Amino acid sequence: MTPSNLPVFQADLYRHRRGQLAARIREQSGSGIAILATAPEQLRNRDSEFPYRHDSDFFYLTGFDEPGATLVLQVDRNTVVAHLFCRPKDPEREIWDGLRLGPEAAPEYLGVDHAYPNTELDQALPKLLADQTALYIRLASSAETDRRIRHWIDRVRGQARAGVNAPSEFRDIEALVHEMRLFKDLSEVETMRRAAAISAEAHLRAMRTCRPGQREYQIEAELLHAFRHSGAQSVAYNSIVAAGANACILHYRASAAELQSGDLCLIDAGCELDGYASDITRTFPINGRFSAAQRALYDITLAAQEAAVDATKPGNTFMQPHDTAVRVLTQGMLDEKLLSLHQLGSVDNAIETGAYRRFYMHRTSHWLGMDVHDVGSYREAGASNATEKPWRILCENMMLTIEPGLYVRPADDVPEAFWNIGIRIEDDALVTQNGCDLISRGVPVKADEIEAVMRG
């Protein structure tokens, strides 16, 4: 019997995903066996672990978030059998660390076919590997994983004179799972919408509470409060709260810097909810009003994002939103004399020579999902040379960010009014049938609306 105190679980969803993976294995190899372990626990210091976070691929196929677990799928022409190895029940350890599902309850609750204590993994794997042709694993993922797989394979090879064959074909399971994860199903989209809504409310809270004289870490605390208060389990990545010149450091961490009146504050922060990330960036004036120079660069950045949003639609490539944003940003750099039209001659030349990269040095988008920089190829399959492969064609149900920016450091050839201004605007976009849906617009993006929020 399944324990009555467990939350409702969508076993059919994960069973369906395992069935999709099995179909891909059949396409490649006819049949095979797949082995996928979750992430190990990691010590933070002598007697304390980091908060545990499951492996995304493992969770995608099982929905199981306990450490010490391994999924094994046996796939033949007509069936797929799911074996789960997990921690056994242990009343003494559960007093200290919390309840465990255990192998007895796992089949009914998780929808797997068989479950065993993880202490039996080394004994069971050689039997499951026997007479399998293709083995799907993470290739070269770690020395310890490679050692265990070699041990299991050697055990099977030791039975050769008894007519037992070991797998002779080794394939990368990540390539198959990551292609699946690139396309979001209805359950994933709904979870990501809720994550984006929580993160948007956190950004609003930060704007409303921001005052000159506060410290960056105090604004970060407001974000963390909003995430956890609304039920998010964690941050999706280390929050960036960057005041003044710090906003020109792309991966800056919130520190003790004081928020000064007249400066901007850039916040790049998102929560993780039920295993899925959100990723939002907003830039706002600490005293509640943009200066003329700040407003000029902000409006350029917003125009670049709007142009990139228009270019995010099925049939366009992954790079088209970036190329579109770059053109708008570069024209703005020339208009505001961050770049010299006299020296460069044209927008096209400023783009071709890469002159714009002085003030905009990152891509406009990345995939978003269970990981904030989510998995999935950015190139189409085809040419043998990766750089010759065309960029990925955007399709319905892909999820990506749209995040242009401008970062101006002091320099003799840059108008002083723009020094130390860093601006980024980022939203999460679901590719739809005819365009895209910005699921993170619960927080304002237009300069006038941001100022109104801070006044309110």
Side-chain angles (χ1 to χ4, degrees):
M1 293 292 291
T2 302
S4 59
N5 60 341
L6 290 175
V8 175
F9 185 80
Q10 294 178 292
D12 287 344
L13 172 65
Y14 300 100
R15 189 183 294 110
H16 175 70
R17 290 176 183 170
R18 293 192 294 270
Q20 289 181 310
L21 175 60
R24 292 172 182 262
I25 290 174
R26 293 186 189 105
E27 289 177 6
Q28 282 194 347
S29 305
S31 63
I33 186 168
I35 303 173
L36 190 62
T38 194
E41 293 180 289
Q42 299 285 349
L43 283 176
R44 183 182 185 275
N45 52 31
R46 183 180 297 274
D47 194 32
S48 177
E49 293 86 14
F50 282 103
Y52 181 71
R53 207 283 187 176
H54 52 262
D55 174 79
S56 294
D57 291 339
F58 177 87
F59 186 79
Y60 180 78
L61 295 171
T62 65
F64 189 48
D65 60 2
E66 290 187 19
T70 300
L71 175 69
V72 179
L73 294 181
Q74 285 181 303
V75 180
D76 63 22
R77 291 287 183 183
N78 301 307
T79 63
V80 53
V81 181
H83 305 267
L84 182 74
F85 295 82
C86 61
R87 299 180 303 177
K89 297 289 287 182
D90 186 333
E92 182 175 350
R93 288 312 313 166
E94 289 179 55
I95 291 173
W96 293 91
D97 303 326
L99 296 178
R100 302 177 178 185
L101 179 64
E104 295 81 11
E108 181 180 351
Y109 185 65
L110 299 176
V112 296
D113 298 290
H114 307 286
Y116 321 89
N118 58 7
T119 53
E120 298 179 7
L121 184 65
D122 286 335
Q123 178 183 352
L125 255 295
K127 298 176 183 177
L128 295 173
L129 288 167
D131 293 323
Q132 295 285 346
T133 301
L135 172 58
Y136 284 78
I137 53 174
R138 286 194 176 102
L139 297 176
S141 61
S142 72
E144 174 59 20
T145 299
D146 291 348
R147 184 197 66 77
R148 296 190 78 178
I149 291 172
R150 285 198 302 271
H151 171 71
W152 299 332
I153 294 295
D154 286 344
R155 291 272 304 276
V156 181
R157 287 170 177 164
Q159 304 174 63
R161 284 187 292 178
V164 178
N165 295 316
S168 57
E169 180 183 335
F170 295 83
R171 289 186 173 269
D172 183 15
I173 190 174
E174 287 188 341
L176 299 183
V177 177
H178 292 180
E179 183 67 15
M180 293 169 58
R181 284 176 53 189
L182 183 57
F183 296 87
K184 305 301 186 282
D185 60 36
L186 292 176
S187 174
E188 292 176 292
V189 170
E190 175 58 29
T191 300
M192 294 185 72
R193 285 188 186 278
R194 289 190 286 119
I198 292 171
S199 295
E201 186 57 39
H203 278 260
L204 280 170
R205 181 186 178 95
M207 288 181 187
R208 288 167 176 154
T209 59
C210 176
R211 297 290 184 275
Q214 288 181 307
R215 304 287 178 175
E216 290 169 339
Y217 61 74
Q218 292 177 302
I219 302 300
E220 181 187 25
E222 300 294 340
L223 297 167
L224 296 175
H225 172 88
F227 292 163
R228 291 296 286 135
H229 188 266
S230 294
Q233 291 84 7
S234 177
V235 294
Y237 52 96
N238 294 323
S239 299
I240 296 170
V241 180
N246 294 334
C248 295
I249 303 171
L250 299 184
H251 286 172
Y252 181 81
R253 291 287 304 277
S255 185
E258 184 176 332
L259 277 64
Q260 302 284 346
S261 180
D263 284 346
L264 296 177
C265 182
L266 184 156
I267 296 179
D268 186 340
C271 73
E272 179 177 285
L273 176 70
D274 297 341
Y276 286 84
S278 56
D279 189 0
I280 302 175
T281 306
R282 290 293 186 270
T283 310
F284 56 90
I286 291 168
N287 63 12
R289 291 194 65 82
F290 289 94
S291 69
Q294 292 166 351
R295 179 67 177 259
L297 297 191
Y298 188 91
D299 287 346
I300 292 168
T301 307
L302 180 56
Q305 194 202 37
E306 290 171 343
V309 168
D310 289 342
T312 303
K313 57 186 177 182
N316 280 359
T317 69
F318 171 81
M319 278 297 288
Q320 280 179 262
H322 174 72
D323 293 340
T324 302
V326 164
R327 180 163 291 275
V328 175
L329 291 170
T330 305
Q331 181 64 63
M333 295 175 202
L334 293 168
D335 293 343
E336 298 298 332
K337 297 182 174 52
L338 295 176
L339 296 177
S340 171
L341 182 61
H342 175 72
Q343 293 176 351
L344 293 168
S346 67
V347 172
D348 289 336
N349 190 52
I351 294 173
E352 184 177 347
T353 60
Y356 71 89
R357 293 194 185 99
R358 181 180 176 186
F359 304 106
Y360 180 51
M361 62 291 295
H362 59 79
R363 296 274 188 215
T364 303
S365 299
H366 59 76
W367 303 133
L368 182 68
M370 303 186 89
D371 299 308
V372 67
H373 286 183
D374 208 35
V375 296
S377 173
Y378 289 95
R379 298 273 189 175
E380 295 286 345
S384 58
N385 187 337
T387 59
E388 295 176 358
K389 294 179 181 178
W391 290 101
R392 190 78 186 240
I393 301 297
L394 296 176
C395 298
E396 190 175 359
N397 295 325
M398 290 179 172
M399 189 82 75
L400 66 159
T401 63
I402 305 176
E403 51 176 311
L406 283 173
Y407 314 92
V408 186
R409 293 167 179 81
D412 291 340
D413 60 342
V414 173
E416 188 173 352
F418 297 125
W419 287 7
N420 295 321
I421 292 178
I423 296 169
R424 185 165 61 253
I425 304 171
E426 178 180 19
D427 282 291
D428 304 342
L430 171 68
V431 181
T432 60
Q433 187 174 5
N434 300 311
C436 71
D437 179 13
L438 300 182
I439 66 172
S440 52
R441 280 295 176 87
V443 55
V445 69
K446 293 182 179 179
D448 289 341
E449 294 174 346
I450 289 173
E451 290 181 344
V453 167
M454 300 190 72
R455 285 197 303 271

